[in-house]
Amino acid sequence: MRDADFFRRWMAAAAAAVEREAARLTELDSPIGDADHGSNLLRGFVAVRAALSAEGPESPQSPGAVLQLAGRTLISTVGGASGPLYGTLLRRTGKELGEAAEVSDEALREALHAGVGAVARLGGAAPGDKTMLDALVPGVAELSTSYRAGAEAAEQGAQATVPLLARKGRASYLGERSIGHQDPGATSSALLLAALAEAVESSRTPAPVSSASKDAEETEAAGAAEPTKAGLVGIVLVSHSAAVAEAVAELARGLASGGPMTAVAAAGGTAEGGLGTSAERILAAAREVDRGAGVALLADLGSSVLTVKSLLAEGELPPGSRLVDAPFLEGAVAAVVTASAGAPLPVVESTATEAYTYRKT
Ligand code: ADP
Ligand code: MG
């Protein structure tokens, strides 16, 4: 049976592996990505280590709680597509494990299967698409042989991504040029399963986690919400860039002005001010604009879309929140105009989606 300490050791080993391999992961993300996979995961796993080593009443006491806290931390700190994907993997696995103080190896395998299934649904990817699933799927399947066999299968799966054509994520923009490079996410997935095998093989002595106090990075809702008319659908604009989100919000407000204006909030960039997605910013923005009539969220690319989807899947956004499938700028204008006119959420949503049909030539 495996207890909460075992899962802490797994996460500590994963953090150590990411620290060791961050430069290589970023290097793999250069030719077919944006050269940030290592730094993304490093930021995420350093935060996971801090969250798990914090003591006190909130310190997780069960395997399920350890993985859920780790997953939540990754979603809020990573800032790239891999954040919501790995966050979903760990959270779903943790949820499957429930609240038991100890879990069997079989229960862990089944929970991981469910976690990998949630990643596939969130990202819409399947094995062969040159993503983390190419390591996770064979790796988790081989766990029934042994933890070490699982780690090795994941490593082979990662290496087997080299000749594949990327069909999902940023690398898919390169088309044929993605061929010939190993997928960074598959590589980090192999590290995650190797860390699991390491935790199994290591002695029962707890890993030397520093008891650094938890630097709670709770980004509070910026209290700048102007009092707007109650009962209108709120709009949240999620972009990789704070400047883009703000500017599109300003444009949409400007074009909709004239009567009552619905609340529009921009959730752009990472909490550190870089390019990426911050779950905390999205949650704060959604709370800020929620007037009880629902919240329409529009997202630009990759991790913006995935982070919103994962927050919706976990029920963290205000009731009645929807990810709207629409072009970012045109959809934002359409959504703000219709919401300000008092339209209910389904109408705001379909009007924004319709913006896809306005051809420009
Ligand atoms: P970003 O692509 O936003 O910069 P990262 O560089 O941190 O994020 O992570 C990139 C990795 O995420 C890819 O190598 C791939 O394995 C994984 N990934 C991206 N999109 C998807 C998806 N839709 N499904 C599964 N995995 C994905
Ligand atoms: Mg990247």
Side-chain angles (χ1 to χ4, degrees):
M1 297 294 276
R2 314 248 169 229
D3 61 6
D5 256 357
F6 167 81
F7 285 86
R8 288 173 196 278
R9 290 212 308 281
W10 175 18
M11 291 297 108
V18 166
E19 258 166 2
R20 213 169 48 232
E21 302 286 334
R24 184 166 77 100
L25 294 174
T26 286
E27 210 172 290
L28 290 172
D29 197 29
S30 306
I32 59 166
D34 53 351
D36 65 358
H37 190 55
S39 50
N40 283 345
L41 289 189
L42 187 58
R43 187 164 56 245
F45 275 95
V46 164
V48 165
R49 189 159 50 191
L52 289 180
S53 62
E55 281 156 27
E58 278 152 44
S59 157
Q61 302 300 324
S62 65
V66 168
L67 291 188
Q68 289 189 61
L69 175 59
R72 205 158 59 234
T73 306
L74 289 180
I75 292 176
S76 5
T77 54
V78 166
S82 56
L85 292 162
Y86 279 131
T88 294
L89 173 69
L90 298 183
R91 286 178 78 166
R92 180 54 53 90
T93 303
K95 277 192 180 167
E96 292 289 320
L97 293 176
E99 289 171 11
E102 294 195 332
V103 299
S104 67
D105 287 331
E106 194 188 347
L108 174 55
R109 281 200 301 276
E110 278 173 17
L112 279 167
H113 268 294
V116 172
V119 172
R121 273 193 303 284
L122 175 63
D129 287 345
K130 198 179 183 100
T131 70
M132 54 176 68
L133 289 171
D134 288 309
L136 289 174
V137 169
V140 169
E142 255 326 287
L143 290 177
S144 52
T145 307
S146 73
Y147 284 98
R148 189 43 68 186
E152 279 162 11
E155 175 57 31
Q156 279 164 19
Q159 289 175 14
T161 61
V162 173
L164 297 177
L165 175 82
R167 291 205 185 78
K168 291 285 164 188
R170 219 180 276 269
S172 65
Y173 304 160
L174 293 175
E176 305 259 310
R177 279 178 295 143
S178 66
I179 293 173
H181 303 281
Q182 184 165 326
D183 180 62
T187 310
S188 55
S189 289
L191 294 179
L192 189 66
L193 290 185
L196 176 60
E198 234 178 84
V200 168
E201 290 152 10
S202 71
S203 69
R204 284 253 150 198
T205 47
V209 270
S210 74
S211 60
S213 72
K214 184 180 172 190
D215 54 329
E217 289 174 84
E218 293 277 303
T219 327
E220 273 306 311
E226 309 108 52
T228 41
K229 199 177 163 204
L232 298 179
V233 172
I235 311 291
V236 172
L237 303 179
V238 184
S239 170
H240 277 59
S241 147
V244 168
E246 291 291 349
V248 172
E250 189 191 319
L251 174 66
R253 282 192 207 104
L255 294 179
S257 65
M261 174 74 59
T262 194
V264 185
T270 64
E272 292 80 29
L275 295 181
T277 314
S278 155
E280 302 297 334
R281 286 195 169 183
I282 297 170
L283 290 172
R287 285 187 208 117
E288 182 189 320
V289 302
D290 180 25
R291 300 288 186 278
V295 176
L297 295 104
L298 286 92
D300 61 359
L301 309 158
S303 64
S304 297
V305 175
L306 293 174
T307 305
V308 173
K309 279 190 184 172
S310 70
L311 293 172
L312 284 170
E314 303 299 335
E316 301 216 352
L317 287 161
S321 296
R322 304 261 315 162
L323 172 63
V324 171
D325 180 23
F328 191 62
L329 190 151
E330 289 87 343
V333 173
V336 172
V337 170
T338 25
S340 297
L345 184 58
V347 176
V348 172
E349 186 177 9
S350 64
T351 312
T353 301
E354 240 169 67
Y356 273 133
T357 62
Y358 302 151
R359 311 305 313 183
K360 290 172 191 172
T361 58

